[in-house]
Amino acid sequence: MSELFGIPVGSLLVGLAIALGLVVSVLAALALRNPVLVKLGVRNVGRRGGRTALIVLGLMLGTTIITAALATGDTMTHTVRATAVESLGATDMIVSAAGTGTDVPGELGDVSGFGYVSQSVVRELEGALEGTGLADGVTGAIVEQVAVQAPQQRRTEPRVTLFAPDPARTENIVSIVDASGAERSLGELRAGEAFLDEDAAEELGVAAGDKVLLFAGSRPAELVVADVVGFAGTGTTGSALLLPLREAQELLRRQGLIRHVLVSNTGDDMSGVGLSDAVAERLQPVAEVLGLEVATSKQDALAEADEAGNAFMAIFTTFGSFSIAAGILLIFLIFVMLAAERRGELGIARAIGTRRSHLVQLYTFEGLAYDLGAALVGALLGVLIAYGMVFVLASAFATEELSVEFAVTARSLAIAYALGVLLTFVVVAVSAWRVSVMTISAAIRNLPEPASQRRRGRWILGLVGLTFGGLLTASGLAGSAATPLMLGISLLVISAVPFARLLGVPDRAAFTVPGIAIIVLWLLPWSVWERAFGQLAMDFSTWIASGLMLVTGVVWVIMFNADLVIGLAFRTVGRIRAAAPVLRVALAYPLAGRFRTGTTLAMFTLVVFTLVTGTTSSGSFMAAFQDVDAYGGGFDVRATTAPAAPIWNLEAAIAQAPGVDRERVVAVGSQSVLPVSAKQVGTERAAETYAVRGLDSGFLAHTTFELGAIARPYASARDVWAALRETPGLAVADSLIVPRRDQFGFAPPVGDFRLSGFLYDDGVFDPVPVVVRDPDGGPPLRLTVIGVLSDTAPVEMMGLSTSQETLAVAFPNRALPTIHYVALAPGADARAEAARLESAFLANGMEAEAVEDVLADVTAASVTINRLIQGFMGLGLIVGVAALGVVAARSVVERRQQIGVLRAIGFRRGMVQASFILEAALVALTSIVVGSALGLVLAFNIVSDQREQASWEGLTLVVPWLNLGIIFLAVFLVAVGTTFAPALRASRIRPAEALRYQ
């Protein structure tokens, strides 16, 4: 990972270390000055083990969530980095014919056009590096996709990487070892022999001495497997076949030609990357003269790995923010309750001369003692949770090319620990300040604080809220941004509360009216906001703000109107004589401690709201995405062929292919794909590398791919595809390069090419002119973008798509079809037809898949990640459960005398225990019901808003009732179970002992 919260991790770590150092230094100085306060604060830590355990649990949750998110990001970074290093081996730089060395977005298709160059360029490039000490190996190589068949085993692998470097130049670049670990060399292979790597041997079921057939567009070549070896550097982590360069040239009829020049920088597989820029600077002048391009392949791959790690970390920190917020509330609740427990003691301390600053220090020292240990425990627990998450991710991304491996760096652990300590310290310091504000006489007698003591604070809070809310509202209006606008208006509403109380308005009205206003404001359909304020930009911060504000409003309404609910309860359940006393006691205490009950309710409700909104909205989008026809664009099978053996006319080839029934084939479409240099006309942005796709007439005539935005004057997607077929020079762009008003994505951008001048959300735009140019030279091609693909289109359609005729004229002999789509007659088995196509076109290295299988794989991975996110958000439910445990444990201490009185007047043990359990059950049940209701309404608003876009016209609200029901039932039972032990302890209190308690 390279960034966290948009800040480089190196800078963040330094900043956190400085902040933590300052905090510890200041507290150390205060400790030396007042060592007695340190002893008084720390001695409370070991007094009650159970309470200390609960406090540590509450304090560590924030650190746990942060650590788990960072460790997941580290894992994905490490995984992609390891994959890059394994595929490239010692190769740091790749020099190729201009255009052929550029990666094409998506996983389907290869760059067409052979891009072979004379083998003599190796010596010229090597000469540019002589005497610099920058590189320790340079070799020419052929790297091609071929098909390999094992006749005796009756197995075929249609996509095997043929890797053929010059054996005389492989030192420091190629390292080959056999099963025993002994070094092997390509130079020892005799004519007709080849090495297979372990993956290829396993797929084909062959061993040393077996024969295989290699297909590369001509008649098959028979080879003998000399040995099965281990090797990194073929450009893939999948199946590979190794040959000497000269023999590969003869098999492919490319005598004297190579595909790439591989350069190994001085150093090992990782340290050499640091020299990439210097090596590129030396090679570039020579490469330009030779018509070549220099790619810093490993450096670029490692940068992409960091982006992938950042994306995963952003996902989990965003969704974990609600749990972190709930954890902050729990920390605050814990220390406020500790203060309430010791209020009399603190009042006496103030009476004998202790200053407020001393009380703040005392509580801060105690909090820091808990904090330092809890953050350490939280970091370790976060690593364990991340390990479980990685196990799930590994199953979601388990492919031959990507193997997820758990990894966590010391830097991430340090950042998580420092963040956890500082976050908790701030909350503890605020809690300590709140504790110190007391009237001595009221504290000693355990009476409520006089109202006059709070009037000045209300004025200040009100003015601060009005100022900050006004600034946020103005900022949101100026930038057409939803989050600051809606948050600013909410703060203005909230700021009315302290002023209303100062004016003598009863608390019920002072809190209820603003609470209802906040709920209504945030649950209004977003279209209402946009009608009032114009189009507004939204992102995930809007969702986070809505959760916090909605919960605030709901808790106010519930807590200040609970007596009405109690009255209703007494008129119903209260008629049952046996239940009435228990119910009355169970409801009375939560209302007496309105702050702690409201805080607990807020924690639980916030997490439930998050789970319901996230689960329901993501499930709705997943259900809409699972449309085979939309995903396949009207085709049932998609296939790719090796660029060395393209099929020029698949429809004609199918008519003559053995084993393929032409009657089952309804339509055939093909694509070519080329990397180009692209620039939007009329902008000052520099040209950037991107992909252009050539769609043949069959594809354009049959495709049903939907468009999310359509240029004027076209009326439908069908009109746009027909225009591409009939008029050269028109194009369709993918949705990832188009600007949006609403930003809800986490994926890192693909490439630097962008379109501008319109917004995807609007659905219509004026045609956009773009100029593309072959990196290999030649005249520019002007394209006019008249459509943007829907968000439901597969990633394999990324790029600027135009007609094959347009590309063939502009890039002769370069735009060769390597991607093919086949539509089948109703009732045909797509899997069986895909297998028949692979068999018929083995010589072309065809790999075919049924579109429904591809979609199932994509959907399965997405479902797994969604469930993982749900589980991650569900960590916040532990906060709610812990809060109930803290409240229940504290209640036993606070209500000891009350319990004694109840027992003395006839309450049985079971009734006391039932009242405690019922308190927890009511809070948990209220949170689940209210949080679910709020979440469903917001999810409905999200679905309704997105349904206005062309990409999601068929979007409907899908609520996973069973999943949510199981989760909430389990949480409810655990929450009730958490209070069982304190309730049992309370029921065992003897009246005589309780009434003597001082």
Side-chain angles (χ1 to χ4, degrees), residues 844-894:
N844 302 94
M846 177 177 283
E847 187 171 24
E849 295 178 283
V851 170
E852 59 182 308
D853 289 341
V854 178
L855 179 58
D857 291 340
V858 172
T859 303
S862 299
V863 168
T864 301
I865 294 175
N866 283 338
R867 288 178 178 170
L868 189 62
I869 292 173
Q870 292 171 26
F872 193 72
M873 291 189 293
L875 289 174
L877 293 173
I878 300 175
V879 177
V881 171
L884 290 175
V886 170
V887 171
R890 170 61 192 156
S891 297
V892 174
V893 177
E894 282 187 349

Side-chain angles (χ1 to χ4, degrees), residues 746-758:
F746 289 102
V750 179
D752 297 316
F753 176 65
R754 296 289 181 273
L755 297 180
S756 61
F758 68 100

Side-chain angles (χ1 to χ4, degrees), residues 44 111 166 287 543 792:
N44 290 316
V111 175
D166 184 351
W543 179 38
T792 57

Side-chain angles (χ1 to χ4, degrees), residues 391-702:
F391 182 80
V392 177
L393 282 174
S395 64
F397 291 99
T399 66
E400 190 178 73
E401 290 77 21
L402 187 68
S403 177
V404 179
E405 298 177 0
F406 178 76
V408 60
T409 64
R411 182 178 63 182
S412 292
L413 289 176
I415 289 174
Y417 182 79
L419 274 175
V421 170
L422 291 173
L423 181 67
T424 305
F425 172 78
V426 170
V427 180
V428 168
V430 172
S431 304
W433 172 82
R434 186 181 186 278
V435 167
S436 69
V437 180
M438 65 172 65
T439 303
I440 296 175
S441 59
I444 293 175
R445 290 182 292 175
N446 199 26
L447 297 175
E449 289 294 321
S452 60
Q453 298 293 325
R454 303 177 181 175
R455 296 181 66 85
R456 181 180 299 176
R458 290 174 185 172
W459 277 108
I460 295 174
L461 285 175
L463 290 174
V464 170
L466 285 176
T467 303
F468 194 43
L471 291 174
L472 277 176
T473 302
S475 173
L477 286 172
S480 297
T483 303
L485 173 63
M486 298 168 75
L487 195 57
I489 293 175
S490 299
L491 286 177
L492 292 176
V493 173
I494 291 173
S495 301
V497 174
F499 291 113
R501 299 180 73 191
L502 285 170
L503 294 173
V505 177
D507 281 355
R508 184 197 298 275
F511 283 93
T512 301
V513 174
I516 293 174
I518 291 172
I519 295 170
V520 172
L521 284 173
W522 284 95
L523 291 184
L524 281 174
W526 289 341
S527 58
V528 175
W529 283 88
E530 292 184 333
R531 279 198 295 271
F533 299 103
Q535 295 290 340
L536 298 173
M538 299 183 184
D539 54 25
F540 271 102
S541 66
T542 310
W543 179 38
I544 295 172
S546 71
L548 297 175
M549 290 295 100
L550 281 170
V551 168
T552 299
V554 165
V555 169
W556 281 359
V557 172
I558 291 176
M559 295 311 303
F560 286 94
N561 295 275
D563 55 330
L564 302 178
V565 179
I566 292 174
L568 178 63
F570 285 150
R571 285 194 294 271
T572 54
V573 183
R575 295 180 180 179
I576 304 173
R577 296 183 60 184
V582 175
L583 181 63
R584 188 176 295 276
V585 172
L587 292 174
Y589 184 75
L591 291 181
R594 185 174 285 164
F595 173 79
R596 69 185 63 173
T597 303
T599 304
T600 306
L601 186 66
M603 283 184 280
F604 238 126
T605 304
L606 182 62
V607 179
V608 172
F609 163 83
T610 308
L611 268 174
V612 172
T613 306
T615 302
T616 303
S617 56
S618 63
S620 300
F621 281 98
M622 286 300 303
F625 188 73
Q626 293 175 336
D627 185 333
V628 175
D629 186 66
Y631 187 80
F635 296 95
D636 303 290
V637 176
R638 71 181 198 186
T640 180
T641 53
I647 302 174
W648 291 88
N649 188 332
L650 182 60
E651 187 172 12
I654 287 176
Q656 301 176 1
V660 179
D661 187 353
R662 182 65 183 85
E663 297 300 322
R664 295 191 184 96
V665 177
V666 173
V668 175
S670 296
Q671 292 183 15
S672 58
V673 57
L674 284 174
V676 295
S677 176
K679 182 182 186 301
Q680 182 178 344
V681 177
T683 64
E684 297 182 357
R685 295 189 299 273
E688 302 288 353
T689 299
Y690 208 57
V692 63
R693 294 180 182 272
L695 314 180
D696 72 358
S697 179
F699 184 97
L700 293 172
H702 187 78

Side-chain angles (χ1 to χ4, degrees), residues 3 184 216 338 369 418 500 544 596 733 749 771 796 875 939 989:
E3 291 184 350
R184 304 295 299 270
L338 283 176
I544 295 172
R596 69 185 63 173
V771 171
E796 286 75 20
L875 289 174
I989 295 176

